[in-house]
PDB file of all heavy atoms in Angstrom:
ATOM      1  N   THR A 226      80.551  86.008 109.439  1.00 99.00           N
ATOM      2  CA  THR A 226      79.947  87.201 109.980  1.00 99.00           C
ATOM      3  C   THR A 226      78.625  87.394 109.216  1.00 99.00           C
ATOM      4  O   THR A 226      78.531  87.818 108.127  1.00 99.00           O
ATOM      5  CB  THR A 226      80.839  88.468 109.664  1.00 99.00           C
ATOM      6  OG1 THR A 226      82.087  88.203 110.266  1.00 99.00           O
ATOM      7  CG2 THR A 226      80.223  89.721 110.132  1.00 99.00           C
ATOM      8  N   THR A 227      77.574  87.046 109.991  1.00 98.00           N
ATOM      9  CA  THR A 227      76.210  87.248 109.409  1.00 98.00           C
ATOM     10  C   THR A 227      75.638  88.620 109.641  1.00 98.00           C
ATOM     11  O   THR A 227      74.724  89.071 108.876  1.00 98.00           O
ATOM     12  CB  THR A 227      75.246  86.259 110.080  1.00 98.00           C
ATOM     13  OG1 THR A 227      75.349  86.309 111.481  1.00 98.00           O
ATOM     14  CG2 THR A 227      75.630  84.763 109.670  1.00 98.00           C
ATOM     15  N   THR A 228      76.208  89.372 110.574  1.00 99.00           N
ATOM     16  CA  THR A 228      75.777  90.721 110.797  1.00 99.00           C
ATOM     17  C   THR A 228      77.061  91.677 110.941  1.00 99.00           C
ATOM     18  O   THR A 228      77.967  91.257 111.725  1.00 99.00           O
ATOM     19  CB  THR A 228      74.935  90.955 112.090  1.00 99.00           C
ATOM     20  OG1 THR A 228      73.724  90.122 111.885  1.00 99.00           O
ATOM     21  CG2 THR A 228      74.615  92.381 112.359  1.00 99.00           C
ATOM     22  N   ALA A 229      77.058  92.751 110.306  1.00 98.00           N
ATOM     23  CA  ALA A 229      78.223  93.685 110.371  1.00 98.00           C
ATOM     24  C   ALA A 229      77.839  95.083 110.479  1.00 98.00           C
ATOM     25  O   ALA A 229      76.788  95.500 109.880  1.00 98.00           O
ATOM     26  CB  ALA A 229      79.207  93.546 109.139  1.00 98.00           C
ATOM     27  N   CYS A 230      78.627  95.878 111.264  1.00 99.00           N
ATOM     28  CA  CYS A 230      78.374  97.375 111.437  1.00 99.00           C
ATOM     29  C   CYS A 230      79.521  97.981 110.629  1.00 99.00           C
ATOM     30  O   CYS A 230      80.579  98.098 111.226  1.00 99.00           O
ATOM     31  CB  CYS A 230      78.250  97.728 112.858  1.00 99.00           C
ATOM     32  SG  CYS A 230      77.540  99.265 113.146  1.00 99.00           S
ATOM     33  N   TYR A 231      79.164  98.522 109.439  1.00 99.00           N
ATOM     34  CA  TYR A 231      80.203  98.972 108.582  1.00 99.00           C
ATOM     35  C   TYR A 231      80.477 100.500 108.569  1.00 99.00           C
ATOM     36  O   TYR A 231      79.419 101.316 108.535  1.00 99.00           O
ATOM     37  CB  TYR A 231      79.929  98.710 107.163  1.00 99.00           C
ATOM     38  CG  TYR A 231      79.999  97.183 106.780  1.00 99.00           C
ATOM     39  CD1 TYR A 231      78.939  96.431 106.492  1.00 99.00           C
ATOM     40  CD2 TYR A 231      81.328  96.674 106.599  1.00 99.00           C
ATOM     41  CE1 TYR A 231      79.107  95.101 106.050  1.00 99.00           C
ATOM     42  CE2 TYR A 231      81.367  95.238 106.176  1.00 99.00           C
ATOM     43  CZ  TYR A 231      80.316  94.550 105.916  1.00 99.00           C
ATOM     44  OH  TYR A 231      80.399  93.204 105.533  1.00 99.00           O
ATOM     45  N   PHE A 232      81.670 101.020 108.648  1.00 98.00           N
ATOM     46  CA  PHE A 232      82.016 102.296 108.129  1.00 98.00           C
ATOM     47  C   PHE A 232      82.284 102.281 106.703  1.00 98.00           C
ATOM     48  O   PHE A 232      82.871 101.360 106.252  1.00 98.00           O
ATOM     49  CB  PHE A 232      83.320 102.795 108.922  1.00 98.00           C
ATOM     50  CG  PHE A 232      83.129 103.472 110.152  1.00 98.00           C
ATOM     51  CD1 PHE A 232      82.528 102.784 111.309  1.00 98.00           C
ATOM     52  CD2 PHE A 232      83.560 104.794 110.430  1.00 98.00           C
ATOM     53  CE1 PHE A 232      82.412 103.407 112.493  1.00 98.00           C
ATOM     54  CE2 PHE A 232      83.387 105.404 111.652  1.00 98.00           C
ATOM     55  CZ  PHE A 232      82.884 104.735 112.677  1.00 98.00           C
ATOM     56  N   ALA A 233      81.853 103.245 106.013  1.00 98.00           N
ATOM     57  CA  ALA A 233      82.254 103.350 104.531  1.00 98.00           C
ATOM     58  C   ALA A 233      83.113 104.584 104.434  1.00 98.00           C
ATOM     59  O   ALA A 233      84.171 104.663 105.238  1.00 98.00           O
ATOM     60  CB  ALA A 233      80.965 103.591 103.692  1.00 98.00           C
ATOM     61  N   THR A 234      82.897 105.523 103.511  1.00 98.00           N
ATOM     62  CA  THR A 234      83.847 106.785 103.482  1.00 98.00           C
ATOM     63  C   THR A 234      82.864 107.909 103.345  1.00 98.00           C
ATOM     64  O   THR A 234      81.704 107.817 103.578  1.00 98.00           O
ATOM     65  CB  THR A 234      84.633 106.632 102.117  1.00 98.00           C
ATOM     66  OG1 THR A 234      83.717 106.696 101.002  1.00 98.00           O
ATOM     67  CG2 THR A 234      85.493 105.407 102.042  1.00 98.00           C
ATOM     68  N   ILE A 235      83.421 109.082 103.097  1.00 98.00           N
ATOM     69  CA  ILE A 235      82.672 110.311 102.929  1.00 98.00           C
ATOM     70  C   ILE A 235      81.913 110.398 101.641  1.00 98.00           C
ATOM     71  O   ILE A 235      80.985 111.286 101.515  1.00 98.00           O
ATOM     72  CB  ILE A 235      83.562 111.607 102.951  1.00 98.00           C
ATOM     73  CG1 ILE A 235      84.447 111.686 101.809  1.00 98.00           C
ATOM     74  CG2 ILE A 235      84.335 111.687 104.360  1.00 98.00           C
ATOM     75  CD1 ILE A 235      85.249 113.008 101.689  1.00 98.00           C
ATOM     76  N   HIS A 236      82.081 109.431 100.756  1.00 98.00           N
ATOM     77  CA  HIS A 236      81.507 109.430  99.388  1.00 98.00           C
ATOM     78  C   HIS A 236      80.066 108.759  99.477  1.00 98.00           C
ATOM     79  O   HIS A 236      79.923 107.611  99.657  1.00 98.00           O
ATOM     80  CB  HIS A 236      82.384 108.747  98.367  1.00 98.00           C
ATOM     81  CG  HIS A 236      83.723 109.243  98.468  1.00 98.00           C
ATOM     82  ND1 HIS A 236      84.719 108.559  99.096  1.00 98.00           N
ATOM     83  CD2 HIS A 236      84.358 110.300  97.954  1.00 98.00           C
ATOM     84  CE1 HIS A 236      85.884 109.216  99.023  1.00 98.00           C
ATOM     85  NE2 HIS A 236      85.631 110.302  98.249  1.00 98.00           N
ATOM     86  N   THR A 237      79.036 109.525  99.274  1.00 98.00           N
ATOM     87  CA  THR A 237      77.686 109.145  99.399  1.00 98.00           C
ATOM     88  C   THR A 237      77.308 108.023  98.415  1.00 98.00           C
ATOM     89  O   THR A 237      76.702 107.012  98.796  1.00 98.00           O
ATOM     90  CB  THR A 237      76.592 110.274  99.244  1.00 98.00           C
ATOM     91  OG1 THR A 237      77.026 111.301 100.129  1.00 98.00           O
ATOM     92  CG2 THR A 237      75.269 109.898  99.558  1.00 98.00           C
ATOM     93  N   ASP A 238      77.654 108.206  97.185  1.00 98.00           N
ATOM     94  CA  ASP A 238      77.293 107.225  96.144  1.00 98.00           C
ATOM     95  C   ASP A 238      77.946 105.907  96.414  1.00 98.00           C
ATOM     96  O   ASP A 238      77.327 104.761  96.272  1.00 98.00           O
ATOM     97  CB  ASP A 238      77.554 107.732  94.789  1.00 98.00           C
ATOM     98  CG  ASP A 238      76.708 108.938  94.266  1.00 98.00           C
ATOM     99  OD1 ASP A 238      75.567 108.984  94.862  1.00 98.00           O
ATOM    100  OD2 ASP A 238      77.089 109.705  93.430  1.00 98.00           O
ATOM    101  N   ALA A 239      79.189 105.925  96.759  1.00 98.00           N
ATOM    102  CA  ALA A 239      79.930 104.601  97.073  1.00 98.00           C
ATOM    103  C   ALA A 239      79.296 103.997  98.270  1.00 98.00           C
ATOM    104  O   ALA A 239      79.227 102.737  98.384  1.00 98.00           O
ATOM    105  CB  ALA A 239      81.401 104.862  97.229  1.00 98.00           C
ATOM    106  N   SER A 240      78.888 104.766  99.304  1.00 98.00           N
ATOM    107  CA  SER A 240      78.320 104.231 100.484  1.00 98.00           C
ATOM    108  C   SER A 240      77.019 103.563 100.183  1.00 98.00           C
ATOM    109  O   SER A 240      76.652 102.512 100.700  1.00 98.00           O
ATOM    110  CB  SER A 240      78.147 105.343 101.541  1.00 98.00           C
ATOM    111  OG  SER A 240      79.430 105.974 101.847  1.00 98.00           O
ATOM    112  N   LEU A 241      76.215 104.182  99.314  1.00 98.00           N
ATOM    113  CA  LEU A 241      74.947 103.628  98.866  1.00 98.00           C
ATOM    114  C   LEU A 241      75.156 102.302  98.114  1.00 98.00           C
ATOM    115  O   LEU A 241      74.419 101.369  98.250  1.00 98.00           O
ATOM    116  CB  LEU A 241      74.099 104.599  98.012  1.00 98.00           C
ATOM    117  CG  LEU A 241      73.550 105.785  98.683  1.00 98.00           C
ATOM    118  CD1 LEU A 241      73.064 106.887  97.817  1.00 98.00           C
ATOM    119  CD2 LEU A 241      72.423 105.375  99.602  1.00 98.00           C
ATOM    120  N   LEU A 242      76.337 102.306  97.362  1.00 98.00           N
ATOM    121  CA  LEU A 242      76.661 101.107  96.668  1.00 98.00           C
ATOM    122  C   LEU A 242      77.010  99.947  97.576  1.00 98.00           C
ATOM    123  O   LEU A 242      76.571  98.797  97.402  1.00 98.00           O
ATOM    124  CB  LEU A 242      77.837 101.368  95.740  1.00 98.00           C
ATOM    125  CG  LEU A 242      78.466 100.231  94.969  1.00 98.00           C
ATOM    126  CD1 LEU A 242      77.350  99.708  93.948  1.00 98.00           C
ATOM    127  CD2 LEU A 242      79.670 100.720  94.143  1.00 98.00           C
ATOM    128  N   LEU A 243      77.676 100.284  98.670  1.00 98.00           N
ATOM    129  CA  LEU A 243      77.998  99.238  99.656  1.00 98.00           C
ATOM    130  C   LEU A 243      76.700  98.666 100.235  1.00 98.00           C
ATOM    131  O   LEU A 243      76.601  97.343 100.435  1.00 98.00           O
ATOM    132  CB  LEU A 243      78.816  99.866 100.728  1.00 98.00           C
ATOM    133  CG  LEU A 243      79.146  98.930 102.048  1.00 98.00           C
ATOM    134  CD1 LEU A 243      79.821  97.634 101.608  1.00 98.00           C
ATOM    135  CD2 LEU A 243      79.881  99.776 103.036  1.00 98.00           C
ATOM    136  N   ALA A 244      75.651  99.498 100.484  1.00 98.00           N
ATOM    137  CA  ALA A 244      74.457  98.973 101.057  1.00 98.00           C
ATOM    138  C   ALA A 244      73.837  98.013 100.025  1.00 98.00           C
ATOM    139  O   ALA A 244      73.237  96.966 100.373  1.00 98.00           O
ATOM    140  CB  ALA A 244      73.481 100.092 101.345  1.00 98.00           C
ATOM    141  N   ASP A 245      73.889  98.357  98.772  1.00 98.00           N
ATOM    142  CA  ASP A 245      73.232  97.502  97.658  1.00 98.00           C
ATOM    143  C   ASP A 245      73.995  96.151  97.600  1.00 98.00           C
ATOM    144  O   ASP A 245      73.368  95.091  97.488  1.00 98.00           O
ATOM    145  CB  ASP A 245      73.399  98.147  96.314  1.00 98.00           C
ATOM    146  CG  ASP A 245      72.167  99.008  95.880  1.00 98.00           C
ATOM    147  OD1 ASP A 245      71.119  98.661  96.399  1.00 98.00           O
ATOM    148  OD2 ASP A 245      72.315  99.884  95.168  1.00 98.00           O
ATOM    149  N   ILE A 246      75.334  96.196  97.743  1.00 98.00           N
ATOM    150  CA  ILE A 246      76.196  94.965  97.647  1.00 98.00           C
ATOM    151  C   ILE A 246      75.783  94.058  98.811  1.00 98.00           C
ATOM    152  O   ILE A 246      75.680  92.828  98.722  1.00 98.00           O
ATOM    153  CB  ILE A 246      77.643  95.332  97.596  1.00 98.00           C
ATOM    154  CG1 ILE A 246      77.979  95.999  96.270  1.00 98.00           C
ATOM    155  CG2 ILE A 246      78.446  94.102  97.788  1.00 98.00           C
ATOM    156  CD1 ILE A 246      79.281  96.654  96.231  1.00 98.00           C
ATOM    157  N   ILE A 247      75.686  94.640 100.011  1.00 98.00           N
ATOM    158  CA  ILE A 247      75.405  93.836 101.174  1.00 98.00           C
ATOM    159  C   ILE A 247      74.033  93.138 101.079  1.00 98.00           C
ATOM    160  O   ILE A 247      73.972  91.950 101.335  1.00 98.00           O
ATOM    161  CB  ILE A 247      75.426  94.806 102.479  1.00 98.00           C
ATOM    162  CG1 ILE A 247      76.830  95.247 102.735  1.00 98.00           C
ATOM    163  CG2 ILE A 247      74.807  94.031 103.671  1.00 98.00           C
ATOM    164  CD1 ILE A 247      76.910  96.425 103.679  1.00 98.00           C
ATOM    165  N   ASP A 248      73.121  93.956 100.589  1.00 98.00           N
ATOM    166  CA  ASP A 248      71.672  93.343 100.312  1.00 98.00           C
ATOM    167  C   ASP A 248      71.798  92.296  99.366  1.00 98.00           C
ATOM    168  O   ASP A 248      71.119  91.283  99.501  1.00 98.00           O
ATOM    169  CB  ASP A 248      70.719  94.498  99.983  1.00 98.00           C
ATOM    170  CG  ASP A 248      69.370  93.968  99.673  1.00 98.00           C
ATOM    171  OD1 ASP A 248      68.668  93.573 100.589  1.00 98.00           O
ATOM    172  OD2 ASP A 248      69.015  93.927  98.475  1.00 98.00           O
ATOM    173  N   LYS A 249      72.536  92.454  98.330  1.00 98.00           N
ATOM    174  CA  LYS A 249      72.577  91.409  97.235  1.00 98.00           C
ATOM    175  C   LYS A 249      73.141  90.071  97.764  1.00 98.00           C
ATOM    176  O   LYS A 249      72.674  89.010  97.460  1.00 98.00           O
ATOM    177  CB  LYS A 249      73.464  91.918  96.125  1.00 98.00           C
ATOM    178  CG  LYS A 249      73.618  90.925  94.917  1.00 98.00           C
ATOM    179  CD  LYS A 249      74.525  91.516  93.847  1.00 98.00           C
ATOM    180  CE  LYS A 249      75.953  91.646  94.201  1.00 98.00           C
ATOM    181  NZ  LYS A 249      76.778  92.065  93.036  1.00 98.00           N
ATOM    182  N   PHE A 250      74.129  90.182  98.678  1.00 98.00           N
ATOM    183  CA  PHE A 250      74.669  88.932  99.296  1.00 98.00           C
ATOM    184  C   PHE A 250      73.934  88.454 100.411  1.00 98.00           C
ATOM    185  O   PHE A 250      74.171  87.323 100.901  1.00 98.00           O
ATOM    186  CB  PHE A 250      76.130  89.237  99.668  1.00 98.00           C
ATOM    187  CG  PHE A 250      77.136  89.178  98.607  1.00 98.00           C
ATOM    188  CD1 PHE A 250      77.476  90.373  97.873  1.00 98.00           C
ATOM    189  CD2 PHE A 250      77.647  87.923  98.103  1.00 98.00           C
ATOM    190  CE1 PHE A 250      78.442  90.298  96.836  1.00 98.00           C
ATOM    191  CE2 PHE A 250      78.591  87.874  97.077  1.00 98.00           C
ATOM    192  CZ  PHE A 250      78.969  89.136  96.459  1.00 98.00           C
ATOM    193  N   GLY A 251      72.962  89.163 100.965  1.00 98.00           N
ATOM    194  CA  GLY A 251      72.061  88.690 101.960  1.00 98.00           C
ATOM    195  C   GLY A 251      72.576  88.849 103.396  1.00 98.00           C
ATOM    196  O   GLY A 251      72.105  88.285 104.330  1.00 98.00           O
ATOM    197  N   GLN A 252      73.658  89.655 103.525  1.00 98.00           N
ATOM    198  CA  GLN A 252      74.178  89.852 104.888  1.00 98.00           C
ATOM    199  C   GLN A 252      73.222  90.816 105.658  1.00 98.00           C
ATOM    200  O   GLN A 252      72.533  91.671 105.126  1.00 98.00           O
ATOM    201  CB  GLN A 252      75.612  90.396 104.820  1.00 98.00           C
ATOM    202  CG  GLN A 252      76.361  90.463 106.179  1.00 98.00           C
ATOM    203  CD  GLN A 252      77.777  90.895 105.906  1.00 98.00           C
ATOM    204  OE1 GLN A 252      78.091  91.859 105.205  1.00 98.00           O
ATOM    205  NE2 GLN A 252      78.782  90.060 106.440  1.00 98.00           N
ATOM    206  N   ARG A 253      73.247  90.741 106.920  1.00 98.00           N
ATOM    207  CA  ARG A 253      72.524  91.783 107.788  1.00 98.00           C
ATOM    208  C   ARG A 253      73.532  92.882 108.181  1.00 98.00           C
ATOM    209  O   ARG A 253      74.648  92.517 108.517  1.00 98.00           O
ATOM    210  CB  ARG A 253      71.996  90.968 109.025  1.00 98.00           C
ATOM    211  CG  ARG A 253      71.026  91.722 109.871  1.00 98.00           C
ATOM    212  CD  ARG A 253      70.727  90.887 111.151  1.00 98.00           C
ATOM    213  NE  ARG A 253      70.180  89.530 110.856  1.00 98.00           N
ATOM    214  CZ  ARG A 253      68.905  89.336 110.668  1.00 98.00           C
ATOM    215  NH1 ARG A 253      68.008  90.302 110.672  1.00 98.00           N
ATOM    216  NH2 ARG A 253      68.521  88.028 110.395  1.00 98.00           N
ATOM    217  N   ALA A 254      73.188  94.084 108.051  1.00 98.00           N
ATOM    218  CA  ALA A 254      74.204  95.045 108.324  1.00 98.00           C
ATOM    219  C   ALA A 254      73.605  96.528 108.646  1.00 98.00           C
ATOM    220  O   ALA A 254      72.490  96.836 108.288  1.00 98.00           O
ATOM    221  CB  ALA A 254      75.096  95.236 107.111  1.00 98.00           C
ATOM    222  N   PHE A 255      74.483  97.300 109.321  1.00 99.00           N
ATOM    223  CA  PHE A 255      74.387  98.721 109.428  1.00 99.00           C
ATOM    224  C   PHE A 255      75.408  99.273 108.524  1.00 99.00           C
ATOM    225  O   PHE A 255      76.602  98.816 108.574  1.00 99.00           O
ATOM    226  CB  PHE A 255      74.586  99.175 110.811  1.00 99.00           C
ATOM    227  CG  PHE A 255      73.390  98.833 111.728  1.00 99.00           C
ATOM    228  CD1 PHE A 255      73.300  97.552 112.354  1.00 99.00           C
ATOM    229  CD2 PHE A 255      72.289  99.765 111.981  1.00 99.00           C
ATOM    230  CE1 PHE A 255      72.222  97.270 113.210  1.00 99.00           C
ATOM    231  CE2 PHE A 255      71.310  99.420 112.867  1.00 99.00           C
ATOM    232  CZ  PHE A 255      71.245  98.148 113.399  1.00 99.00           C
ATOM    233  N   VAL A 256      75.137 100.397 107.819  1.00 99.00           N
ATOM    234  CA  VAL A 256      76.142 101.010 106.958  1.00 99.00           C
ATOM    235  C   VAL A 256      76.107 102.516 107.148  1.00 99.00           C
ATOM    236  O   VAL A 256      75.134 103.204 107.184  1.00 99.00           O
ATOM    237  CB  VAL A 256      75.806 100.728 105.446  1.00 99.00           C
ATOM    238  CG1 VAL A 256      76.840 101.391 104.573  1.00 99.00           C
ATOM    239  CG2 VAL A 256      75.692  99.293 105.172  1.00 99.00           C
ATOM    240  N   GLY A 257      77.312 103.094 107.286  1.00 98.00           N
ATOM    241  CA  GLY A 257      77.477 104.517 107.585  1.00 98.00           C
ATOM    242  C   GLY A 257      78.301 105.197 106.627  1.00 98.00           C
ATOM    243  O   GLY A 257      79.417 104.817 106.373  1.00 98.00           O
ATOM    244  N   LYS A 258      77.752 106.325 105.987  1.00 98.00           N
ATOM    245  CA  LYS A 258      78.571 107.342 105.333  1.00 98.00           C
ATOM    246  C   LYS A 258      79.364 108.134 106.347  1.00 98.00           C
ATOM    247  O   LYS A 258      78.851 108.714 107.167  1.00 98.00           O
ATOM    248  CB  LYS A 258      77.686 108.203 104.504  1.00 98.00           C
ATOM    249  CG  LYS A 258      78.459 109.349 103.835  1.00 98.00           C
ATOM    250  CD  LYS A 258      77.619 110.522 103.668  1.00 98.00           C
ATOM    251  CE  LYS A 258      78.422 111.792 103.371  1.00 98.00           C
ATOM    252  NZ  LYS A 258      79.514 112.131 104.352  1.00 98.00           N
ATOM    253  N   VAL A 259      80.665 108.108 106.173  1.00 98.00           N
ATOM    254  CA  VAL A 259      81.511 108.808 107.168  1.00 98.00           C
ATOM    255  C   VAL A 259      81.402 110.282 107.017  1.00 98.00           C
ATOM    256  O   VAL A 259      81.246 110.892 105.986  1.00 98.00           O
ATOM    257  CB  VAL A 259      83.074 108.442 106.947  1.00 98.00           C
ATOM    258  CG1 VAL A 259      83.990 109.299 107.712  1.00 98.00           C
ATOM    259  CG2 VAL A 259      83.210 106.965 107.391  1.00 98.00           C
ATOM    260  N   CYS A 260      81.321 110.979 108.249  1.00 98.00           N
ATOM    261  CA  CYS A 260      81.291 112.478 108.270  1.00 98.00           C
ATOM    262  C   CYS A 260      82.449 113.083 108.957  1.00 98.00           C
ATOM    263  O   CYS A 260      82.934 112.555 110.097  1.00 98.00           O
ATOM    264  CB  CYS A 260      80.042 112.903 109.078  1.00 98.00           C
ATOM    265  SG  CYS A 260      78.525 112.211 108.402  1.00 98.00           S
ATOM    266  N   MET A 261      83.116 113.994 108.283  1.00 98.00           N
ATOM    267  CA  MET A 261      84.297 114.607 108.844  1.00 98.00           C
ATOM    268  C   MET A 261      84.465 115.987 108.096  1.00 98.00           C
ATOM    269  O   MET A 261      84.601 116.068 106.886  1.00 98.00           O
ATOM    270  CB  MET A 261      85.600 113.717 108.761  1.00 98.00           C
ATOM    271  CG  MET A 261      85.848 113.114 107.396  1.00 98.00           C
ATOM    272  SD  MET A 261      87.155 111.848 107.544  1.00 98.00           S
ATOM    273  CE  MET A 261      88.507 112.721 108.125  1.00 98.00           C
ATOM    274  N   ASP A 262      84.584 117.089 108.879  1.00 97.00           N
ATOM    275  CA  ASP A 262      84.731 118.396 108.392  1.00 97.00           C
ATOM    276  C   ASP A 262      85.964 119.039 108.808  1.00 97.00           C
ATOM    277  O   ASP A 262      86.269 120.247 108.639  1.00 97.00           O
ATOM    278  CB  ASP A 262      83.541 119.338 108.606  1.00 97.00           C
ATOM    279  CG  ASP A 262      83.214 119.508 110.029  1.00 97.00           C
ATOM    280  OD1 ASP A 262      83.815 118.765 110.862  1.00 97.00           O
ATOM    281  OD2 ASP A 262      82.261 120.267 110.308  1.00 97.00           O
ATOM    282  N   ILE A 263      86.864 118.253 109.519  1.00 97.00           N
ATOM    283  CA  ILE A 263      88.222 118.604 109.937  1.00 97.00           C
ATOM    284  C   ILE A 263      89.192 117.579 109.562  1.00 97.00           C
ATOM    285  O   ILE A 263      88.894 116.319 109.825  1.00 97.00           O
ATOM    286  CB  ILE A 263      88.297 118.844 111.470  1.00 97.00           C
ATOM    287  CG1 ILE A 263      87.420 119.853 112.016  1.00 97.00           C
ATOM    288  CG2 ILE A 263      89.786 119.116 111.902  1.00 97.00           C
ATOM    289  CD1 ILE A 263      87.421 119.909 113.627  1.00 97.00           C
ATOM    290  N   ASN A 264      90.185 117.896 108.791  1.00 96.00           N
ATOM    291  CA  ASN A 264      91.233 116.908 108.516  1.00 96.00           C
ATOM    292  C   ASN A 264      92.553 117.613 108.056  1.00 96.00           C
ATOM    293  O   ASN A 264      92.888 117.798 106.876  1.00 96.00           O
ATOM    294  CB  ASN A 264      90.747 116.032 107.342  1.00 96.00           C
ATOM    295  CG  ASN A 264      91.693 114.724 107.250  1.00 96.00           C
ATOM    296  OD1 ASN A 264      92.698 114.645 107.887  1.00 96.00           O
ATOM    297  ND2 ASN A 264      91.232 113.737 106.354  1.00 96.00           N
ATOM    298  N   GLU A 265      93.326 118.073 109.093  1.00 92.00           N
ATOM    299  CA  GLU A 265      94.501 118.760 108.749  1.00 92.00           C
ATOM    300  C   GLU A 265      95.632 117.898 108.207  1.00 92.00           C
ATOM    301  O   GLU A 265      96.402 118.359 107.380  1.00 92.00           O
ATOM    302  CB  GLU A 265      95.071 119.455 110.036  1.00 92.00           C
ATOM    303  CG  GLU A 265      94.130 120.545 110.620  1.00 92.00           C
ATOM    304  CD  GLU A 265      94.657 121.074 111.932  1.00 92.00           C
ATOM    305  OE1 GLU A 265      95.658 120.667 112.401  1.00 92.00           O
ATOM    306  OE2 GLU A 265      93.929 121.995 112.474  1.00 92.00           O
ATOM    307  N   SER A 266      95.573 116.643 108.451  1.00 91.00           N
ATOM    308  CA  SER A 266      96.568 115.673 107.974  1.00 91.00           C
ATOM    309  C   SER A 266      96.301 115.254 106.498  1.00 91.00           C
ATOM    310  O   SER A 266      97.300 114.832 105.869  1.00 91.00           O
ATOM    311  CB  SER A 266      96.663 114.496 108.866  1.00 91.00           C
ATOM    312  OG  SER A 266      95.449 113.687 108.768  1.00 91.00           O
ATOM    313  N   CYS A 267      95.168 115.432 105.968  1.00 94.00           N
ATOM    314  CA  CYS A 267      94.767 115.142 104.616  1.00 94.00           C
ATOM    315  C   CYS A 267      93.657 116.039 104.103  1.00 94.00           C
ATOM    316  O   CYS A 267      92.501 115.593 104.112  1.00 94.00           O
ATOM    317  CB  CYS A 267      94.482 113.667 104.508  1.00 94.00           C
ATOM    318  SG  CYS A 267      94.169 113.049 102.808  1.00 94.00           S
TER     319      CYS A 267
END
């Protein structure tokens, strides 16, 4: 997988960390910090 479109989590710092790791390994990617303001199950 040379290009990936990633979901991360709601945690901004960890999502930024994912972008750093991808760049370090040289992969091509889109990275998204997950957004959710409704979650009755959790």
Side-chain angles (χ1 to χ4, degrees):
T226 299
T227 52
T228 300
C230 195
Y231 288 109
F232 272 61
T234 64
I235 66 172
H236 309 98
T237 306
D238 291 336
S240 301
L241 289 168
L242 177 61
L243 174 57
D245 266 336
I246 291 168
I247 294 165
D248 179 68
K249 180 178 71 173
F250 279 94
Q252 193 174 45
R253 194 185 300 275
F255 289 84
V256 181
K258 173 215 164 300
V259 169
C260 301
M261 48 194 299
D262 58 354
I263 299 174
N264 194 353
E265 294 178 0
S266 62
C267 186

